[in-house]
Amino acid sequence: MARMLGNTEHAFDSAKSQFWVVDANGLITDKRENIDPDALPFARNTNEAGRQGLREGSSLVEVVRQVRPDVLLGLSGVGGLFSKEVLEALKGSTSAKPAIFAMSNPTKNAECTPEEAFSIVGDNIIFASGSPFRDVDLGNGQIGHSNQGNNMYLFPGLAAYITEDEVLKGMIFPPISKIRDITKEVAAAVVKEAVEEDLAEGYRDIDARELQKICQNEEEVLEYVENSMWSPEYPTLVYKRG
């Protein structure tokens, strides 16, 4: 987030101010004793928290009620942490389409399920989880998308390959059926950048000079990448009993 804002100290402070971090002992402020060094940059100033009606150790539901966040991000490893009370509080979000990210694995440790999120907060939310869940039937032909935000998807390039229609439906990643096509596009972009920065050494029977020529044509570099991709296709093996 800080890099998107300019990667300066001011940008970091601005990005940091968007987070209200709650752990097992409640809201983390600068009054916390023996604070985890990783959490220290996100510790809220006590006076600032007070202006929000909060204090050191305020509960998750108190923070959600007072802050009215746009995004509820769960990294706790505690199944069911986003209780009915917490999800009810999120209905007061300042966002018209709040996001709920229940990222803990395995499934039993997810902070909530998509069914709970959609049924309590409402249809107009974005839901993602670390574990796989089925989409939710909202009725009237509407689907509540359960986006799986695992590490297969978390690499650069994906945002360019999701359509506006998919975004409007609440999807934050392209469908898995497109993964090979997207991988090809991302790989082609990496190849072109490597050639541009004079880092490419070629591959197999294609040397660096020929790779430069290939990269001058978009279709050729995509074809080159596709031909270099491994396809998990196996012949059918038939065993006959002797």
Side-chain angles (χ1 to χ4, degrees), residues 153-175:
Y153 275 122
L154 300 184
F155 66 94
L158 289 178
Y161 303 105
I162 186 167
T163 67
E164 183 67 22
D165 184 56
E166 289 168 340
V167 171
L168 292 174
K169 290 178 179 177
M171 298 173 65
I172 59 175
F173 303 114

PDB file of all heavy atoms in Angstrom, residues 153-175:
ATOM      1  N   TYR A 153      -2.692 -17.776  -6.324  1.00  0.00           N
ATOM      2  CA  TYR A 153      -3.163 -16.574  -6.989  1.00  0.00           C
ATOM      3  C   TYR A 153      -2.337 -15.336  -6.661  1.00  0.00           C
ATOM      4  O   TYR A 153      -2.457 -14.320  -7.331  1.00  0.00           O
ATOM      5  CB  TYR A 153      -4.603 -16.297  -6.567  1.00  0.00           C
ATOM      6  CG  TYR A 153      -5.633 -17.051  -7.375  1.00  0.00           C
ATOM      7  CD1 TYR A 153      -6.528 -17.902  -6.756  1.00  0.00           C
ATOM      8  CD2 TYR A 153      -5.722 -16.891  -8.749  1.00  0.00           C
ATOM      9  CE1 TYR A 153      -7.497 -18.574  -7.488  1.00  0.00           C
ATOM     10  CE2 TYR A 153      -6.675 -17.564  -9.483  1.00  0.00           C
ATOM     11  CZ  TYR A 153      -7.565 -18.399  -8.850  1.00  0.00           C
ATOM     12  OH  TYR A 153      -8.511 -19.055  -9.576  1.00  0.00           O
ATOM     13  N   LEU A 154      -1.550 -15.389  -5.597  1.00  0.00           N
ATOM     14  CA  LEU A 154      -0.911 -14.170  -5.129  1.00  0.00           C
ATOM     15  C   LEU A 154       0.423 -13.930  -5.818  1.00  0.00           C
ATOM     16  O   LEU A 154       1.486 -13.998  -5.220  1.00  0.00           O
ATOM     17  CB  LEU A 154      -0.737 -14.222  -3.606  1.00  0.00           C
ATOM     18  CG  LEU A 154      -2.045 -14.370  -2.838  1.00  0.00           C
ATOM     19  CD1 LEU A 154      -1.792 -14.326  -1.344  1.00  0.00           C
ATOM     20  CD2 LEU A 154      -3.039 -13.286  -3.227  1.00  0.00           C
ATOM     21  N   PHE A 155       0.375 -13.646  -7.094  1.00  0.00           N
ATOM     22  CA  PHE A 155       1.572 -13.222  -7.800  1.00  0.00           C
ATOM     23  C   PHE A 155       1.166 -12.157  -8.814  1.00  0.00           C
ATOM     24  O   PHE A 155      -0.011 -12.050  -9.173  1.00  0.00           O
ATOM     25  CB  PHE A 155       2.297 -14.399  -8.465  1.00  0.00           C
ATOM     26  CG  PHE A 155       1.558 -15.064  -9.589  1.00  0.00           C
ATOM     27  CD1 PHE A 155       1.779 -14.672 -10.899  1.00  0.00           C
ATOM     28  CD2 PHE A 155       0.658 -16.092  -9.342  1.00  0.00           C
ATOM     29  CE1 PHE A 155       1.116 -15.295 -11.946  1.00  0.00           C
ATOM     30  CE2 PHE A 155      -0.009 -16.723 -10.385  1.00  0.00           C
ATOM     31  CZ  PHE A 155       0.225 -16.314 -11.690  1.00  0.00           C
ATOM     32  N   PRO A 156       2.111 -11.330  -9.245  1.00  0.00           N
ATOM     33  CA  PRO A 156       1.757 -10.163 -10.066  1.00  0.00           C
ATOM     34  C   PRO A 156       1.070 -10.532 -11.373  1.00  0.00           C
ATOM     35  O   PRO A 156       1.300 -11.587 -11.942  1.00  0.00           O
ATOM     36  CB  PRO A 156       3.124  -9.520 -10.350  1.00  0.00           C
ATOM     37  CG  PRO A 156       4.007 -10.000  -9.264  1.00  0.00           C
ATOM     38  CD  PRO A 156       3.536 -11.393  -8.943  1.00  0.00           C
ATOM     39  N   GLY A 157       0.234  -9.642 -11.839  1.00  0.00           N
ATOM     40  CA  GLY A 157      -0.350  -9.790 -13.162  1.00  0.00           C
ATOM     41  C   GLY A 157      -1.812 -10.148 -13.191  1.00  0.00           C
ATOM     42  O   GLY A 157      -2.485  -9.940 -14.197  1.00  0.00           O
ATOM     43  N   LEU A 158      -2.343 -10.694 -12.096  1.00  0.00           N
ATOM     44  CA  LEU A 158      -3.711 -11.205 -12.140  1.00  0.00           C
ATOM     45  C   LEU A 158      -4.756 -10.122 -12.336  1.00  0.00           C
ATOM     46  O   LEU A 158      -5.773 -10.339 -12.992  1.00  0.00           O
ATOM     47  CB  LEU A 158      -4.014 -11.988 -10.864  1.00  0.00           C
ATOM     48  CG  LEU A 158      -3.310 -13.337 -10.741  1.00  0.00           C
ATOM     49  CD1 LEU A 158      -3.664 -13.986  -9.425  1.00  0.00           C
ATOM     50  CD2 LEU A 158      -3.676 -14.253 -11.888  1.00  0.00           C
ATOM     51  N   ALA A 159      -4.522  -8.956 -11.751  1.00  0.00           N
ATOM     52  CA  ALA A 159      -5.541  -7.905 -11.799  1.00  0.00           C
ATOM     53  C   ALA A 159      -5.885  -7.507 -13.228  1.00  0.00           C
ATOM     54  O   ALA A 159      -7.009  -7.078 -13.508  1.00  0.00           O
ATOM     55  CB  ALA A 159      -5.063  -6.686 -11.019  1.00  0.00           C
ATOM     56  N   ALA A 160      -4.929  -7.658 -14.134  1.00  0.00           N
ATOM     57  CA  ALA A 160      -5.164  -7.263 -15.521  1.00  0.00           C
ATOM     58  C   ALA A 160      -6.055  -8.249 -16.267  1.00  0.00           C
ATOM     59  O   ALA A 160      -6.514  -7.949 -17.371  1.00  0.00           O
ATOM     60  CB  ALA A 160      -3.827  -7.131 -16.255  1.00  0.00           C
ATOM     61  N   TYR A 161      -6.311  -9.417 -15.673  1.00  0.00           N
ATOM     62  CA  TYR A 161      -7.014 -10.465 -16.399  1.00  0.00           C
ATOM     63  C   TYR A 161      -8.371 -10.812 -15.802  1.00  0.00           C
ATOM     64  O   TYR A 161      -8.930 -11.857 -16.092  1.00  0.00           O
ATOM     65  CB  TYR A 161      -6.128 -11.717 -16.475  1.00  0.00           C
ATOM     66  CG  TYR A 161      -4.809 -11.410 -17.124  1.00  0.00           C
ATOM     67  CD1 TYR A 161      -3.648 -11.311 -16.366  1.00  0.00           C
ATOM     68  CD2 TYR A 161      -4.727 -11.147 -18.488  1.00  0.00           C
ATOM     69  CE1 TYR A 161      -2.440 -10.988 -16.952  1.00  0.00           C
ATOM     70  CE2 TYR A 161      -3.524 -10.823 -19.082  1.00  0.00           C
ATOM     71  CZ  TYR A 161      -2.383 -10.747 -18.311  1.00  0.00           C
ATOM     72  OH  TYR A 161      -1.193 -10.415 -18.894  1.00  0.00           O
ATOM     73  N   ILE A 162      -8.899  -9.923 -14.976  1.00  0.00           N
ATOM     74  CA  ILE A 162     -10.251 -10.108 -14.478  1.00  0.00           C
ATOM     75  C   ILE A 162     -11.129  -9.055 -15.139  1.00  0.00           C
ATOM     76  O   ILE A 162     -10.730  -7.894 -15.291  1.00  0.00           O
ATOM     77  CB  ILE A 162     -10.307 -10.011 -12.941  1.00  0.00           C
ATOM     78  CG1 ILE A 162     -11.704 -10.361 -12.431  1.00  0.00           C
ATOM     79  CG2 ILE A 162      -9.861  -8.656 -12.446  1.00  0.00           C
ATOM     80  CD1 ILE A 162     -11.750 -10.591 -10.931  1.00  0.00           C
ATOM     81  N   THR A 163     -12.292  -9.459 -15.581  1.00  0.00           N
ATOM     82  CA  THR A 163     -13.146  -8.548 -16.338  1.00  0.00           C
ATOM     83  C   THR A 163     -13.964  -7.663 -15.405  1.00  0.00           C
ATOM     84  O   THR A 163     -14.160  -7.975 -14.225  1.00  0.00           O
ATOM     85  CB  THR A 163     -14.105  -9.331 -17.244  1.00  0.00           C
ATOM     86  OG1 THR A 163     -15.045 -10.057 -16.424  1.00  0.00           O
ATOM     87  CG2 THR A 163     -13.347 -10.314 -18.128  1.00  0.00           C
ATOM     88  N   GLU A 164     -14.458  -6.571 -15.950  1.00  0.00           N
ATOM     89  CA  GLU A 164     -15.296  -5.659 -15.165  1.00  0.00           C
ATOM     90  C   GLU A 164     -16.553  -6.370 -14.678  1.00  0.00           C
ATOM     91  O   GLU A 164     -17.004  -6.164 -13.546  1.00  0.00           O
ATOM     92  CB  GLU A 164     -15.676  -4.447 -16.022  1.00  0.00           C
ATOM     93  CG  GLU A 164     -16.490  -3.390 -15.290  1.00  0.00           C
ATOM     94  CD  GLU A 164     -15.704  -2.687 -14.197  1.00  0.00           C
ATOM     95  OE1 GLU A 164     -14.458  -2.696 -14.258  1.00  0.00           O
ATOM     96  OE2 GLU A 164     -16.344  -2.129 -13.288  1.00  0.00           O
ATOM     97  N   ASP A 165     -17.107  -7.224 -15.521  1.00  0.00           N
ATOM     98  CA  ASP A 165     -18.306  -7.967 -15.143  1.00  0.00           C
ATOM     99  C   ASP A 165     -18.019  -8.892 -13.965  1.00  0.00           C
ATOM    100  O   ASP A 165     -18.843  -9.025 -13.052  1.00  0.00           O
ATOM    101  CB  ASP A 165     -18.809  -8.779 -16.341  1.00  0.00           C
ATOM    102  CG  ASP A 165     -20.107  -9.512 -16.041  1.00  0.00           C
ATOM    103  OD1 ASP A 165     -21.085  -8.842 -15.650  1.00  0.00           O
ATOM    104  OD2 ASP A 165     -20.146 -10.744 -16.190  1.00  0.00           O
ATOM    105  N   GLU A 166     -16.850  -9.536 -13.968  1.00  0.00           N
ATOM    106  CA  GLU A 166     -16.480 -10.418 -12.862  1.00  0.00           C
ATOM    107  C   GLU A 166     -16.301  -9.630 -11.571  1.00  0.00           C
ATOM    108  O   GLU A 166     -16.697 -10.083 -10.492  1.00  0.00           O
ATOM    109  CB  GLU A 166     -15.203 -11.183 -13.218  1.00  0.00           C
ATOM    110  CG  GLU A 166     -15.423 -12.251 -14.287  1.00  0.00           C
ATOM    111  CD  GLU A 166     -14.129 -12.810 -14.846  1.00  0.00           C
ATOM    112  OE1 GLU A 166     -13.076 -12.151 -14.714  1.00  0.00           O
ATOM    113  OE2 GLU A 166     -14.164 -13.909 -15.429  1.00  0.00           O
ATOM    114  N   VAL A 167     -15.720  -8.440 -11.678  1.00  0.00           N
ATOM    115  CA  VAL A 167     -15.546  -7.583 -10.495  1.00  0.00           C
ATOM    116  C   VAL A 167     -16.897  -7.194  -9.919  1.00  0.00           C
ATOM    117  O   VAL A 167     -17.112  -7.240  -8.699  1.00  0.00           O
ATOM    118  CB  VAL A 167     -14.728  -6.325 -10.859  1.00  0.00           C
ATOM    119  CG1 VAL A 167     -14.737  -5.331  -9.695  1.00  0.00           C
ATOM    120  CG2 VAL A 167     -13.300  -6.698 -11.211  1.00  0.00           C
ATOM    121  N   LEU A 168     -17.823  -6.823 -10.781  1.00  0.00           N
ATOM    122  CA  LEU A 168     -19.152  -6.417 -10.325  1.00  0.00           C
ATOM    123  C   LEU A 168     -19.898  -7.567  -9.650  1.00  0.00           C
ATOM    124  O   LEU A 168     -20.770  -7.345  -8.810  1.00  0.00           O
ATOM    125  CB  LEU A 168     -19.971  -5.881 -11.504  1.00  0.00           C
ATOM    126  CG  LEU A 168     -19.482  -4.553 -12.098  1.00  0.00           C
ATOM    127  CD1 LEU A 168     -20.280  -4.199 -13.341  1.00  0.00           C
ATOM    128  CD2 LEU A 168     -19.574  -3.430 -11.061  1.00  0.00           C
ATOM    129  N   LYS A 169     -19.537  -8.791 -10.008  1.00  0.00           N
ATOM    130  CA  LYS A 169     -20.166  -9.959  -9.392  1.00  0.00           C
ATOM    131  C   LYS A 169     -19.548 -10.316  -8.042  1.00  0.00           C
ATOM    132  O   LYS A 169     -20.002 -11.242  -7.375  1.00  0.00           O
ATOM    133  CB  LYS A 169     -20.052 -11.164 -10.329  1.00  0.00           C
ATOM    134  CG  LYS A 169     -20.921 -11.064 -11.576  1.00  0.00           C
ATOM    135  CD  LYS A 169     -20.722 -12.275 -12.474  1.00  0.00           C
ATOM    136  CE  LYS A 169     -21.592 -12.198 -13.717  1.00  0.00           C
ATOM    137  NZ  LYS A 169     -21.349 -13.354 -14.624  1.00  0.00           N
ATOM    138  N   GLY A 170     -18.497  -9.587  -7.645  1.00  0.00           N
ATOM    139  CA  GLY A 170     -17.858  -9.859  -6.361  1.00  0.00           C
ATOM    140  C   GLY A 170     -16.651 -10.764  -6.446  1.00  0.00           C
ATOM    141  O   GLY A 170     -16.142 -11.226  -5.424  1.00  0.00           O
ATOM    142  N   MET A 171     -16.165 -11.013  -7.661  1.00  0.00           N
ATOM    143  CA  MET A 171     -14.967 -11.835  -7.827  1.00  0.00           C
ATOM    144  C   MET A 171     -13.738 -10.947  -7.730  1.00  0.00           C
ATOM    145  O   MET A 171     -13.722  -9.831  -8.249  1.00  0.00           O
ATOM    146  CB  MET A 171     -15.004 -12.559  -9.178  1.00  0.00           C
ATOM    147  CG  MET A 171     -16.178 -13.506  -9.326  1.00  0.00           C
ATOM    148  SD  MET A 171     -16.342 -14.201 -10.997  1.00  0.00           S
ATOM    149  CE  MET A 171     -14.835 -15.167 -11.116  1.00  0.00           C
ATOM    150  N   ILE A 172     -12.700 -11.432  -7.060  1.00  0.00           N
ATOM    151  CA  ILE A 172     -11.462 -10.654  -6.959  1.00  0.00           C
ATOM    152  C   ILE A 172     -10.292 -11.346  -7.648  1.00  0.00           C
ATOM    153  O   ILE A 172      -9.200 -10.781  -7.731  1.00  0.00           O
ATOM    154  CB  ILE A 172     -11.100 -10.346  -5.494  1.00  0.00           C
ATOM    155  CG1 ILE A 172     -10.932 -11.631  -4.680  1.00  0.00           C
ATOM    156  CG2 ILE A 172     -12.154  -9.454  -4.865  1.00  0.00           C
ATOM    157  CD1 ILE A 172     -10.467 -11.385  -3.252  1.00  0.00           C
ATOM    158  N   PHE A 173     -10.516 -12.571  -8.133  1.00  0.00           N
ATOM    159  CA  PHE A 173      -9.523 -13.291  -8.916  1.00  0.00           C
ATOM    160  C   PHE A 173     -10.196 -13.849 -10.162  1.00  0.00           C
ATOM    161  O   PHE A 173     -11.394 -14.130 -10.150  1.00  0.00           O
ATOM    162  CB  PHE A 173      -8.930 -14.463  -8.124  1.00  0.00           C
ATOM    163  CG  PHE A 173      -8.297 -14.076  -6.828  1.00  0.00           C
ATOM    164  CD1 PHE A 173      -8.840 -14.489  -5.624  1.00  0.00           C
ATOM    165  CD2 PHE A 173      -7.151 -13.300  -6.802  1.00  0.00           C
ATOM    166  CE1 PHE A 173      -8.261 -14.139  -4.423  1.00  0.00           C
ATOM    167  CE2 PHE A 173      -6.558 -12.937  -5.603  1.00  0.00           C
ATOM    168  CZ  PHE A 173      -7.120 -13.354  -4.414  1.00  0.00           C
ATOM    169  N   PRO A 174      -9.441 -14.043 -11.232  1.00  0.00           N
ATOM    170  CA  PRO A 174     -10.013 -14.708 -12.408  1.00  0.00           C
ATOM    171  C   PRO A 174     -10.373 -16.149 -12.065  1.00  0.00           C
ATOM    172  O   PRO A 174      -9.807 -16.734 -11.137  1.00  0.00           O
ATOM    173  CB  PRO A 174      -8.872 -14.661 -13.438  1.00  0.00           C
ATOM    174  CG  PRO A 174      -7.881 -13.687 -12.902  1.00  0.00           C
ATOM    175  CD  PRO A 174      -8.028 -13.683 -11.421  1.00  0.00           C
ATOM    176  N   PRO A 175     -11.292 -16.752 -12.798  1.00  0.00           N
ATOM    177  CA  PRO A 175     -11.643 -18.152 -12.531  1.00  0.00           C
ATOM    178  C   PRO A 175     -10.460 -19.077 -12.798  1.00  0.00           C
ATOM    179  O   PRO A 175      -9.614 -18.803 -13.651  1.00  0.00           O
ATOM    180  CB  PRO A 175     -12.804 -18.422 -13.492  1.00  0.00           C
ATOM    181  CG  PRO A 175     -12.707 -17.366 -14.535  1.00  0.00           C
ATOM    182  CD  PRO A 175     -12.105 -16.175 -13.877  1.00  0.00           C
TER     183      PRO A 175
END
